[in-house]
Amino acid sequence: MDFGVVFQLDPPAESVIRLAEQAERAGFSHVWSFDSHLLWQEPFVIYSQILARTEKVIVGPMVTNPGTRDATVTASLFATLNEMYGNRTVCGIGRGDSALRTLGAPPTNLAELRESVRVIRELANGRPVDYRGRELSFPWVTDSALEVWVAAYGPKALALTGELADGFILQLADPDIAAWMITSVRAAAERAGRDPAAIRFCVAAPAYVGDDLAHQREQTRWFGGMVGNHVADIVARYGTGGAVPTVLTDYIAGRQGYDYAEHGRAGNSHTSFVPDEIVDRFCVLGPVDEHLRRLTELRELGVDQFAVYLQHDDKEGTLAAYGEHIIPAMNALVR
């Protein structure tokens, strides 16, 4: 299993770059970040510095979207970084949440997402593409290689992921929900004539190592609120009749809006509706042994990467605990 880490890009950027360096030393293979330009700093500028000061980590957004960046611009950004640093990028993409809602716009539709995945991947891999009635290409791209991973929750988005994505990003760590969604993506891949085994699966969720579970819950309860935004869209579209697991739809019954000024931040004021049970199911909390148990369960479901959302008060301690105990133990289990 690979391990990634997901940062918010709060200033100063130098602190994020230092944490990325620490993550590489600890054995993390991927460094991801939010991409929401009104709330945080510009990721692609920071990626360049992370790549310059590390040797192996792969960087990318979790996630970008088709609405705030034209697909051809996004493809050029990735291809340029690949030319500079040797194919060390990955494109995580979804319909968009905070980046668009803070502009007063809704998430993009699935047709736009599908088109963006196609255009970004083709151009960034040096292949021509038809876009807006023109055949486009990057004549300067020679050996760029980019995978595009789609973040999804709803049935149609999961089907799209199986049909064309290189990877699937699930932003919660509940094994039962992960099993349902991985099965859905694989089934869609089979229907599309693809090899389901070729799709990479990434589970991303807050992780906090230690014994004070009550404190850890309060530091990570924000995540249930963030996931609730996406679930609310699904409920609005499909209702609560079983299109997605009821554990997802039931817990948002008490949700009363969302303040993006506190998006993804520990201790925010609008996630009291998220019960402890959901925090425990969606996040990976507790001592080292509990992390190993949960990660082993996810790996047995086919999860290829666990990406740690690092938005709490012990960022360096969590990276250190994973580097010293959890990553080596998980690596040893497969030898």
Side-chain angles (χ1 to χ4, degrees):
M1 176 181 277
D2 288 335
F3 288 87
V5 60
V6 187
F7 295 118
Q8 287 177 337
L9 300 181
D10 290 311
E14 176 63 26
S15 65
V16 175
I17 297 164
R18 285 199 303 268
L19 285 169
E21 292 177 290
Q22 181 184 347
E24 180 173 69
R25 291 193 298 270
F28 287 80
S29 61
H30 288 67
V31 173
W32 304 86
S33 82
F34 288 35
D35 178 13
S36 192
H37 60 290
L38 292 181
L39 298 178
W40 298 289
Q41 293 181 312
E42 167 56 39
F44 286 91
V45 176
I46 297 174
Y47 296 159
S48 187
Q49 285 298 301
I50 292 173
L51 290 167
R53 288 168 51 173
T54 56
E55 296 180 359
K56 296 180 180 179
V57 292
I58 295 168
V59 305
M62 189 178 284
V63 292
T64 192
N65 70 86
T68 57
R69 300 182 191 272
D70 182 84
T72 61
V73 175
T74 303
S76 182
L77 287 166
F78 282 111
T80 300
L81 290 174
N82 282 343
E83 187 277 325
M84 294 172 68
Y85 300 106
N87 291 335
R88 291 170 54 198
T89 66
V90 60
C91 177
I93 192 169
R95 293 177 56 225
D97 181 37
S98 63
L100 287 168
R101 293 191 196 271
T102 53
L103 293 172
T108 59
N109 61 46
L110 291 179
E112 292 171 310
L113 177 59
R114 180 183 294 275
E115 176 73 347
S116 290
V117 171
R118 181 183 71 88
V119 171
I120 292 167
R121 183 166 52 200
E122 294 305 294
L123 287 176
N125 284 283
R127 297 186 290 265
V129 64
D130 291 327
Y131 183 58
R132 296 180 179 175
R134 296 174 177 268
E135 182 174 281
L136 305 178
S137 65
F138 295 152
W140 48 272
V141 171
T142 54
D143 59 357
S144 174
L146 178 73
E147 292 187 348
V148 180
W149 297 15
V150 172
Y153 292 103
K156 291 182 179 180
L158 292 171
L160 179 153
T161 303
E163 290 164 9
L164 79 160
D166 298 300
F168 167 51
I169 297 170
L170 172 59
Q171 292 165 313
L172 54 83
D174 181 286
D176 293 336
I177 297 173
W180 183 86
M181 293 195 174
I182 288 171
T183 298
S184 297
V185 171
R186 286 174 171 163
E190 286 189 15
R191 291 194 300 270
R194 301 183 68 201
D195 177 8
I199 301 173
R200 303 265 289 163
F201 293 95
C202 173
V203 161
Y208 198 132
V209 183
D211 297 319
D212 189 347
L213 187 57
H215 178 72
Q216 293 177 20
R217 284 171 174 159
E218 291 313 306
Q219 286 288 303
T220 57
R221 198 176 303 276
W222 64 267
F223 186 66
M226 187 186 82
V227 173
N229 283 343
H230 303 290
V231 176
D233 285 343
I234 295 170
V235 170
R237 180 178 294 269
Y238 298 102
T240 58
V244 295
T246 55
V247 67
L248 273 177
T249 58
D250 287 353
Y251 90 94
I252 68 164
R255 178 179 178 270
Q256 297 179 348
Y258 192 82
D259 183 358
Y260 279 94
E262 298 181 304
H263 184 57
R265 298 196 182 279
N268 64 35
S269 61
H270 55 274
T271 56
S272 59
F273 73 93
V274 182
D276 287 351
E277 177 193 4
I278 289 295
V279 180
D280 294 346
R281 293 181 69 165
F282 285 11
C283 306
V284 182
L285 310 176
V288 167
D289 287 348
E290 177 59 20
H291 287 248
L292 294 175
R293 183 195 68 79
R294 180 78 72 84
L295 294 173
T296 299
E297 190 173 1
L298 290 169
R299 186 174 63 188
E300 289 173 353
L301 293 174
V303 174
D304 300 290
Q305 180 183 155
F306 178 61
V308 177
Y309 272 102
L310 206 62
Q311 287 78 49
H312 54 60
D313 62 359
D314 193 23
K315 297 177 177 64
E316 293 188 1
T318 298
L319 290 177
Y322 265 71
E324 293 170 14
H325 304 293
I326 294 168
I327 294 175
M330 291 298 294
N331 288 340
L333 289 174
V334 296
R335 289 174 184 165

